[in-house]
Amino acid sequence: MAFQVSPGVLVTEKDLTNVIPAASTSSGAIVMTAEKGPMDEITTISSEVELVDVFGKPNSSNFEEFFCAANFLGYGNNLKVVRPITGMVNACVSGTPILIKNTTDYLDNYSSEASFAATVGAYAAREAGTLGNSLKISVCTNSTAFGPHSNSGTLTNDSSAAIGDTTITMDDGSLFQVGDILEFGDASNVPSTDGAPSGFFYKITAISTHVLTIARFNPATGKTETGGLRHAIVDNAKVLRHWEYYFNFDGPPTSTEDVVAAGGSNDEMHIVVLDEDGGITGEAGQILETFAGVSQAGDAKDDSGNSNFYPDVIYRSSKFVYVMDHETTLANAGSAKKSQTFDNTQGDAFAVKTYSLASGTDDYAATNAEVATAYEKFNDIENVDVSLLLCGPSQTTADATGDTKATAVMDIATARKDCVAFISPARADVVGVSNAITQTQNVVAFADGLPSTSYAVIDSGYKYMYDRYNDVFRFVPLNGDIAGLCARTDNIADPFFSPAGFNRGQIRGAVKLAFNPNQTQRDELYKARINPVVAFPGQGTVLFGDKTAQAKPSAFDRINVRRLFITLEKAISTASKFQLFEFNDEFTRAQFRNLVEPFLRDVQGRRGITDFSVVCDDSNNTGDVIDRSEFRADIFIKPARSINFIQLNFIATRTGVAFSEVAGA
């Protein structure tokens, strides 16, 4: 309290309005091999559309993992995905491909362009895998290469051609590249820059010495059309040449304002990234992205003050490529002195540099070690919020036996103690097994090989669903759905409600089940800590159990009780951090009780608990405890229990007998 020297009024404030914040309970997590996407880092996904955009469509190698993730997102909207490091490498221009795991890896290890000139060439695919082999980069650095360029001495047609012809003979075919756009004039005039007198454009599709094969080109669509020449070309007709992507830019590359202001010039580049063979978009030659007026100067800035240096711009904005090295003919590229004149010829005023990427490889056969390393990303309890940990298929592609993966996922949840792992049996246990008794035995044997823990949930198998990306039906593990039911329960009720049953346990998108256990088989499964998923005729496919994987009978062998305590523990422990470094006295202890008790009363009012007691006084904060700088609170909880068994007794009585006479019989 401030000391007052003379009389006056001192006003102070003390905040006693602290409340316990809500704890996240619906955040899912999975490790998933994929055709693209960052590797070895956590990416948060909110929808199936985003999942496809970031990690690509499912294929025959990763559909189980993909649909576990997609099915979860059908119930919730927060899924953390890690793509594991496998034998995949990034496509590159030349040399030996390398693995660039993610943007952090690029910045830390590969962004010093000069280091990789002999290794991978000027560009590399942003993401590992064969999709990068479809990428092509076209770079234009000067107005001559950009066009329209006319020179009667060098670009003149050398023979007549009739309407419909698809070949043109030139004085010098070496001045052209496949992809160039042409306009033809007459013997005395070249077309004007607005397309007159011809107004017709043609794209070079092939070059053989002096002979150019052409196709009609539509600037509005950027696509070629059939039909050949629209009008006859006379001998010695004049020609205008344009860069293939001339119509995608407002003007030629010149000098950026920042470089001109510093006394430099000729630093601009136009860069186009395209899908050369259609492997990414399904359409060969489709433009993926363009970068206009980026600079060769390492210290150049754009109008917003951000770096306009082309490797930096591409790093910030490209979804497809990284710059690994400068074109060798651009002698000053990368210089931090924007006051100089930059080389904009690329060795040839007419040449546009193109780079086709190759040698990217796929590897979906993740080993146990690779998967375990990826799941370790979710071990950081302080920085990574995870509530629902999806196993996907219980075995890795490279390991078709054992339950090592499932055990590893369960161990992470048990170690964190703030999330639940969701496990499905091995595919071979239920898919393609025609005998339900054998399926039951297989699934029980699978569960018997897993550890006992209340931080895991085991389901009974696989569902048959439609894969709209490949137009096939597939069997997919159910654990993505079961975790999704928990997320959906959080949204429509509370985490301490059971996710099972006809009200909250309806499984979406199930055409049929690989294993549909009857009552006798469900009894065997339930005794083995396995939650049956059952297809009831006319009533849907339903999660018909809410057990955890804990073998010892207790309140914690129920999903709703385990998730109740996770919710309480996360919320109260978060609020308790504000007691750190305060005095362990009755005032602080009273503050803590006043914080926790209203929260628990609220949970009680929402039917999560039936009763509670908070003990935080000198009975558990003894002198020894205080001297050790500790603070203790004992929170007693009576959890609400879900109904698993219903007994209905129907009693027939004789006429004239009062019901009171037979009540309790």
Side-chain angles (χ1 to χ4, degrees), residues 83-361:
R83 186 185 180 198
I85 298 173
T86 61
M88 291 187 172
V89 293
N90 299 60
C92 58
V93 174
S94 60
T96 304
I98 56 177
L99 173 62
I100 306 173
K101 296 182 290 186
N102 48 53
T103 56
T104 301
D105 188 30
Y106 172 75
L107 286 178
D108 290 346
N109 300 301
Y110 302 109
S111 58
S112 178
E113 302 84 16
S115 303
F116 300 94
T119 308
V120 298
Y123 295 86
R126 198 172 184 97
E127 298 163 346
T130 57
L131 276 185
N133 297 338
S134 295
L135 294 171
K136 181 180 178 181
I137 298 96
S138 181
V139 182
C140 180
T141 57
N142 63 70
S143 59
T144 301
F146 183 80
H149 183 78
S150 63
N151 186 317
S152 59
T154 56
L155 299 184
T156 304
N157 175 56
D158 196 38
S159 65
S160 299
I163 294 174
D165 283 358
T166 57
T167 59
I168 301 291
T169 303
M170 307 299 295
D171 287 342
D172 187 355
S174 67
L175 299 175
F176 303 89
Q177 292 186 355
V178 173
D180 285 351
I181 308 298
L182 305 180
E183 289 182 88
F184 296 97
D186 56 30
S188 58
N189 296 296
V190 297
S192 64
T193 56
D194 63 0
S198 73
F200 298 135
F201 299 93
Y202 305 89
K203 189 172 190 175
I204 300 175
T205 60
I207 298 177
S208 178
T209 313
H210 301 304
V211 179
L212 312 182
T213 301
I214 61 171
R216 294 182 182 182
F217 180 75
N218 186 341
T221 64
K223 302 186 184 302
T224 56
E225 301 173 348
T226 59
L229 287 173
R230 296 177 175 90
H231 68 295
I233 305 298
V234 300
D235 185 24
N236 240 6
K238 305 302 188 293
V239 180
L240 276 182
R241 174 202 161 275
H242 310 71
W243 179 34
E244 183 174 1
Y245 305 105
Y246 172 89
F247 296 99
N248 296 99
F249 296 86
D250 293 333
T254 54
S255 307
T256 61
E257 292 182 3
D258 187 45
V259 168
V260 171
S265 63
N266 298 338
D267 65 305
E268 278 194 348
M269 308 168 67
H270 291 341
I271 300 175
V272 176
V273 181
L274 62 140
D275 184 3
E276 185 172 19
D277 59 13
I280 298 171
T281 64
E283 182 178 352
Q286 180 69 32
I287 294 176
L288 300 173
E289 49 196 18
T290 61
F291 302 93
V294 292
S295 179
Q296 298 179 52
D299 56 353
K301 304 293 183 182
D302 61 19
D303 294 341
S304 300
N306 299 313
S307 172
N308 195 35
F309 185 38
Y310 78 100
D312 294 342
V313 175
I314 288 177
Y315 166 76
R316 290 197 310 266
S317 305
S318 177
K319 294 176 62 177
F320 298 96
V321 297
Y322 290 121
V323 176
M324 304 300 293
D325 186 41
H326 303 295
E327 167 60 46
T328 56
T329 57
L330 299 175
N332 297 323
S335 171
K337 298 179 180 179
K338 57 189 176 184
S339 59
Q340 66 187 17
T341 298
F342 290 85
D343 184 353
N344 69 346
T345 66
Q346 299 188 114
D348 186 342
F350 289 93
V352 171
K353 295 294 182 181
T354 59
Y355 309 88
S356 293
L357 304 192
S359 302
T361 60

Side-chain angles (χ1 to χ4, degrees), residues 373-453:
T373 298
Y375 269 109
E376 286 174 4
K377 292 288 182 181
F378 304 124
N379 269 332
D380 188 354
I381 188 171
E382 287 192 340
N383 297 304
V384 181
D385 183 25
V386 172
S387 304
L388 311 165
L389 194 59
L390 286 62
C391 181
S394 62
Q395 300 161 350
T396 65
T397 307
D399 175 37
T401 61
D403 49 26
T404 307
K405 179 185 177 185
T407 300
V409 176
M410 294 172 72
D411 287 346
I412 291 174
T414 303
R416 286 183 61 110
K417 298 188 182 304
D418 69 343
C419 67
V420 177
F422 293 82
I423 311 296
S424 300
R427 184 181 187 88
D429 290 338
V430 293
V431 177
V433 181
S434 57
N435 190 309
I437 296 175
T438 304
Q439 291 175 313
T440 304
Q441 294 170 343
N442 290 344
V443 177
V444 169
F446 171 83
D448 286 344
L450 299 175
S452 170
T453 175

Side-chain angles (χ1 to χ4, degrees), residues 62 143 157 168 504 578 602 661:
N62 76 333
S143 59
N157 175 56
I168 301 291
R504 293 178 294 277
F578 294 95
D602 180 62
E661 297 178 41

Side-chain angles (χ1 to χ4, degrees), residues 395-600:
Q395 300 161 350
T396 65
T397 307
D399 175 37
T401 61
D403 49 26
T404 307
K405 179 185 177 185
T407 300
V409 176
M410 294 172 72
D411 287 346
I412 291 174
T414 303
R416 286 183 61 110
K417 298 188 182 304
D418 69 343
C419 67
V420 177
F422 293 82
I423 311 296
S424 300
R427 184 181 187 88
D429 290 338
V430 293
V431 177
V433 181
S434 57
N435 190 309
I437 296 175
T438 304
Q439 291 175 313
T440 304
Q441 294 170 343
N442 290 344
V443 177
V444 169
F446 171 83
D448 286 344
L450 299 175
S452 170
T453 175
S454 67
Y455 294 96
V457 173
I458 308 170
D459 65 68
S460 60
Y462 277 59
K463 74 177 185 181
Y464 198 55
M465 62 171 291
Y466 178 60
D467 173 1
R468 61 188 177 91
Y469 302 100
N470 298 287
D471 194 25
V472 296
F473 287 89
R474 301 188 188 274
F475 279 109
V476 177
L478 280 162
N479 61 82
D481 290 88
I482 309 307
L485 291 177
C486 290
R488 182 174 178 270
T489 298
D490 297 352
N491 292 330
I492 64 175
D494 277 300
F496 39 76
F497 281 74
S498 172
F502 291 98
N503 292 325
R504 293 178 294 277
Q506 294 280 354
I507 303 292
R508 297 174 176 173
V511 177
K512 63 179 180 179
L513 296 173
F515 173 34
N516 191 24
N518 61 28
Q519 181 65 63
T520 301
Q521 293 150 3
R522 297 200 295 269
D523 291 346
E524 292 299 312
L525 296 175
Y526 222 48
K527 289 189 292 183
R529 310 172 292 158
I530 301 161
N531 296 291
V533 176
V534 187
F536 293 97
Q539 297 176 301
T541 301
V542 181
L543 173 63
F544 220 56
D546 60 359
K547 275 197 170 187
T548 66
Q550 179 171 283
K552 180 180 71 174
S554 82
F556 292 104
D557 68 4
R558 302 294 161 174
I559 300 173
N560 64 300
V561 175
R562 168 42 65 209
R563 298 190 71 227
L564 164 69
F565 273 78
I566 288 175
T567 303
L568 299 181
E569 290 163 5
K570 287 177 77 171
I572 294 174
S573 64
T574 299
S576 298
K577 291 179 180 179
F578 294 95
Q579 309 301 318
L580 288 169
F581 309 109
E582 300 298 322
F583 294 119
N584 189 343
D585 56 16
E586 179 53 33
F587 181 85
T588 300
R589 295 192 286 267
Q591 273 192 319
F592 179 81
R593 294 192 301 270
N594 293 335
L595 187 68
V596 174
E597 289 175 348
F599 173 72
L600 294 176

